[in-house]
DNA sequence: GCGGTATGCCTAA
DNA sequence: TAGGCCTACCGCG
């Protein structure tokens, strides 16, 4: 689940659940130093929760920040308070007035300072899900990059929040081959790429899952797009658009999915 | 119960 | 580029 949409949705939900409260903080698994954050009653005052790309920041009183990165396996379990007993693998547990949160399997869950938080976000490219995002940094880099666009989209220092699923789907919808060098892409295609990425990510935040089919509009409340129909090429054997075979190869240790017929290399590189 | 798989990313060589 | 981290889930038997 964890591409940018998951993280931004978590920030929104958790901010609503806990911001402004003295939250009971613990680490049933013992690998997060909750005792360094809490007062004698086991609680700490949470001011707000913020997302930047795939990074989450829980900002507590006193400029103390819990930095979370879900990695490949990380997952949240959100329940009403009082919640049932924690599973033993729970790295971080937050108990608020109405909701209780458990975090399992994250790559990062650490107590940092506000300066550390700034240093982390400073390393990231613009995030299409943030109001303050400036896509010009992305355009400027791609316009002179020899690197394939398929690699650039996954590079969090160039554009952040995009993962393997959105990469495959954005390139497919724009009919761009993943091996196209950045600088071969027309400016108009780049602008469309940013807008499409932002639109798909926003839809993901609302639907709490990645759906790139059936346009950018949200599914009707009860109309759940079946899993096998939620992407065009990602993890599919046959292209949803042309029904031809989906090709895969490994680029920087990640499997790229694309359709050779819909995304020819020449066409994209004019 | 076991083995394979996954939407990520860091480090060593 | 390969390996490691770390967990849930699913299909198979």
């Amino acid at each position: 689940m964890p591409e940018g949409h998951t993280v931004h949705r978590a920030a929104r939900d958790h901010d609503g659940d806990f911001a402004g409260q003295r939250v009971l903080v613990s680490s049933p698994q013992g690998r997060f130093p909750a005792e360094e954050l809490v007062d004698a009653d086991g609680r700490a005052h949470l001011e707000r929760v913020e997302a930047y790309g795939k990074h989450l920041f829980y900002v507590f009183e006193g400029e103390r920040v819990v930095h979370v990165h879900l990695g490949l396996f990380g997952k949240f379990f959100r329940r009403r308070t009082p919640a049932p007993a924690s599973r033993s693998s729970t790295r971080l547990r937050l108990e608020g007035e109405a909701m209780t949160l458990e975090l399992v399997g994250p790559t990062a869950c650490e107590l940092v300072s506000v300066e550390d938080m700034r240093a982390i976000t400073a390393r990231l490219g613009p995030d299409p899900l943030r109001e303050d995002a400036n896509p010009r940094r992305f355009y400027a880099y791609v316009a002179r990059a020899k690197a394939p666009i398929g690699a650039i989209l996954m590079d969090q220092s160039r554009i952040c929040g995009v993962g393997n699923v959105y990469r495959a789907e954005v390139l497919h919808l724009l009919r761009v081959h993943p091996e196209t060098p950045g600088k071969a892409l027309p400016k108009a295609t780049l602008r469309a790429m940013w807008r499409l990425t932002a639109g798909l990510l926003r839809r993901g935040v609302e639907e709490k899952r990645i759906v790139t089919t059936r346009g950018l509009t949200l599914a009707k409340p009860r109309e759940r797009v079946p899993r096998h129909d939620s992407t065009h090429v990602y993890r599919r054997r046959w292209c949803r658009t042309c029904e031809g075979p989906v090709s895969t190869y490994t680029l920087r240790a990640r499997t790229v999915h694309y359709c050779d017929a819909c995304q020819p290399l020449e066409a994209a590189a004019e």
Side-chain angles (χ1 to χ4, degrees):
Chain A
M1 312 291 181
E3 295 195 28
H5 70 297
T6 305
V7 172
H8 278 261
R9 180 54 184 254
R12 180 206 286 181
D13 290 346
H14 303 170
D15 191 81
D17 292 345
F18 305 114
Q21 296 179 34
R22 281 180 51 77
V23 181
L24 192 61
V25 184
S26 63
S27 178
Q29 182 198 44
R31 290 183 52 192
F32 174 77
E35 65 284 356
E36 292 177 27
L37 176 64
V38 300
D39 295 333
D41 62 355
R43 293 174 185 271
H45 184 268
L46 180 63
E47 292 178 347
R48 66 175 202 280
V49 184
E50 206 179 318
Y52 206 121
K54 297 172 188 170
H55 297 258
L56 265 170
F57 300 98
Y58 297 76
V59 182
F60 285 84
E61 198 170 48
E63 305 214 321
R64 317 211 61 197
V65 180
V66 176
H67 168 231
V68 170
H69 192 292
L70 294 173
L72 192 52
F73 312 121
K75 222 172 215 162
F76 288 111
F77 296 91
R78 188 166 163 248
R79 300 207 178 77
R80 293 198 186 287
T81 301
S86 296
R87 56 186 80 205
S88 58
S89 56
T90 299
R91 183 81 58 91
L92 176 70
R93 185 172 186 275
L94 300 183
E95 185 179 325
E97 291 154 13
M99 300 300 285
T100 296
L101 185 72
E102 290 194 4
L103 169 62
V104 167
T107 288
C109 177
E110 53 180 357
L111 194 54
V112 302
S113 65
V114 170
E115 294 82 62
D116 295 330
M117 171 177 159
R118 286 200 202 100
I120 291 165
T121 58
R123 278 185 245 121
L124 299 171
D127 175 352
L129 281 174
R130 287 182 63 98
E131 297 286 337
D132 56 11
N134 181 0
R136 267 166 290 186
R137 280 166 59 203
F138 171 67
Y139 299 153
Y141 171 76
V142 179
R144 55 185 165 70
K146 279 189 231 164
I149 188 64
I152 296 171
L153 282 177
M154 293 279 279
D155 182 344
Q156 303 298 301
S157 71
R158 302 304 176 187
I159 178 171
C160 73
V162 177
N164 208 8
V165 184
Y166 284 117
R167 162 176 67 180
E169 294 297 305
V170 165
L171 292 177
H172 180 81
L173 285 163
L174 296 173
R175 306 181 72 90
V176 171
H177 191 290
E179 282 300 308
T180 311
K183 60 183 184 180
L185 290 163
K187 284 227 165 59
T189 304
L190 270 191
R191 284 193 291 271
M193 192 172 290
W194 176 271
R195 280 197 306 271
L196 177 61
T197 304
L200 291 175
L201 281 164
R202 269 188 219 113
R203 183 179 177 189
V205 173
E206 297 310 317
E207 299 199 26
K208 293 193 87 165
R209 60 189 287 237
I210 300 175
V211 179
T212 65
T213 54
R214 310 182 190 200
L216 276 184
T217 47
L218 306 180
K220 289 174 191 144
R222 297 274 168 242
E223 182 205 351
R224 184 156 177 96
V225 177
R227 188 185 317 205
H228 68 268
D229 199 41
S230 61
T231 61
H232 297 88
V233 288
Y234 180 74
R235 284 253 271 166
R236 287 178 61 106
R237 203 182 299 251
W238 307 102
C239 171
R240 187 181 184 274
T241 306
C242 75
E243 299 183 0
V246 169
S247 303
T248 61
Y249 69 100
T250 302
L251 176 60
R252 303 190 188 169
R254 308 298 303 278
T255 304
V256 186
H257 299 251
Y258 73 102
C259 171
D260 238 343
C262 294
Q263 300 160 255
L265 191 50
E266 317 78 57
E270 342 174 340

